[in-house]
Amino acid sequence: MSAVPAGDPSGHTRHPAPEQGRALAGLRERKKQRTRLALIDAALDLFLAKGYEATTIDEIVAAVEVSQRTFFRYFGTKEDVVTSFLSEHDRVMSEALAARPPEERPFTALFESLRVVLHTIAEGDPADGARWRRVRQVIEATPSLMAAQMARYSESTEALAVEIARREGVDLENDPRPRILVAFYLATVKVAFEECARREIWDAGTVAARVEQAVTLAAQTMRDWV
């Protein structure tokens, strides 16, 4: 039997061209992203219909018609379905903060970075905006996820404080001001988000406006009361 692949009279093994390889890699990544988003959407549907605690991973994978093994390829736990989606926005926030003008005051830079995140959601893919609204609804209705969000806030606090310290040219190990500023800023945002939840406001554009009002009030309060 000939060892030459059919259709290749030269006797050389054919390899995909670089362009073809990149196209195949891009196709695989798009397929993985579609599967990940399908799992998130199915999970959010179930969380809102049944409650987070009552929903099982078996139900999520059944809704997408994939295996548990596929689920765990994308998420370590059921909680990760929610928190990993928000972690992407944390990354956008950090990148936006690093790109802010160096002369901008730290509190303003933090707010403008969050504005980038919220307006990206509000003005971007409607499907992403819908996911963000449903994630917020699920978190606000689930005490265990609220606790997970507080842990995420702690991680965000440190990452943002490191960036503020870098921008201001101070040593974070010996100067607590970046952590104080970020903690105050995140507390302001938390109050705004909670107020939106109480009023059942989930639209990212409206939430952005409410956060802006809260940040303005916080700055005024610092001037008037501190």
Side-chain angles (χ1 to χ4, degrees), residues 18 39 48 51 81 86 90 109 112 121 140 146 149 153 167-168 173 192-193 202 221:
L39 287 165
L48 290 171
V81 175
L86 295 177
D90 292 341
E112 292 298 333
I121 296 167
E140 295 294 340
M146 288 292 290
Q149 175 155 278
Y153 273 150
R167 288 171 55 87
E168 296 303 305
E173 292 303 311
F193 272 66
W202 309 109
T221 301

Side-chain angles (χ1 to χ4, degrees), residues 63-212:
V64 184
E65 298 183 343
V66 298
S67 66
Q68 276 207 9
R69 182 178 178 182
T70 298
F71 178 91
F72 287 116
R73 213 176 279 146
Y74 296 93
F75 308 105
T77 64
K78 185 172 69 171
E79 181 183 289
D80 286 346
V81 175
V82 175
T83 57
S84 68
F85 182 79
L86 295 177
S87 293
E88 294 178 9
H89 297 143
D90 292 341
R91 177 184 56 78
V92 173
M93 170 85 180
S94 295
E95 291 174 355
L97 178 60
R100 296 305 304 170
E103 69 277 4
E104 198 167 51
R105 292 173 69 87
F107 196 76
T108 301
L110 285 165
F111 169 64
E112 292 298 333
S113 301
L114 179 62
R115 191 205 293 267
V116 168
V117 176
L118 292 174
H119 282 282
T120 297
I121 296 167
E123 298 167 9
D125 185 344
D128 284 339
R131 287 185 192 100
W132 187 82
R133 289 194 297 272
R134 292 190 295 164
V135 164
R136 296 301 317 167
Q137 288 173 309
V138 169
I139 288 175
E140 295 294 340
T142 311
S144 61
L145 289 178
M146 288 292 290
Q149 175 155 278
M150 292 309 298
R152 192 173 63 84
Y153 273 150
S154 295
E155 293 178 7
S156 296
T157 298
E158 190 62 17
L160 295 175
V162 167
E163 178 58 23
I164 291 297
R166 184 196 68 78
R167 288 171 55 87
E168 296 303 305
V170 301
D171 180 4
L172 190 59
E173 292 303 311
N174 299 308
D175 190 335
R177 288 178 297 172
R179 288 192 178 98
I180 292 171
L181 178 76
V182 171
F184 177 65
Y185 163 78
L186 288 176
T188 302
V189 172
K190 179 173 177 289
V191 168
F193 272 66
E194 289 174 348
E195 180 66 18
C196 287
R198 279 194 294 271
R199 297 176 182 273
E200 297 192 357
I201 297 171
W202 309 109
D203 173 71
T206 307
V207 170
R210 294 300 180 105
V211 169
E212 182 168 3

Side-chain angles (χ1 to χ4, degrees), residues 22-34:
R22 286 193 290 271
L24 289 172
L27 181 62
R28 284 194 294 268
E29 285 304 312
R30 289 193 295 274
K31 183 177 179 181
K32 286 167 61 177
Q33 180 68 353
R34 283 196 299 269

Side-chain angles (χ1 to χ4, degrees), residues 38-56:
L39 287 165
I40 291 174
D41 289 339
L44 293 174
D45 286 344
L46 288 163
F47 295 161
L48 290 171
K50 297 184 56 177
Y52 173 81
E53 303 295 350
T55 300
T56 66

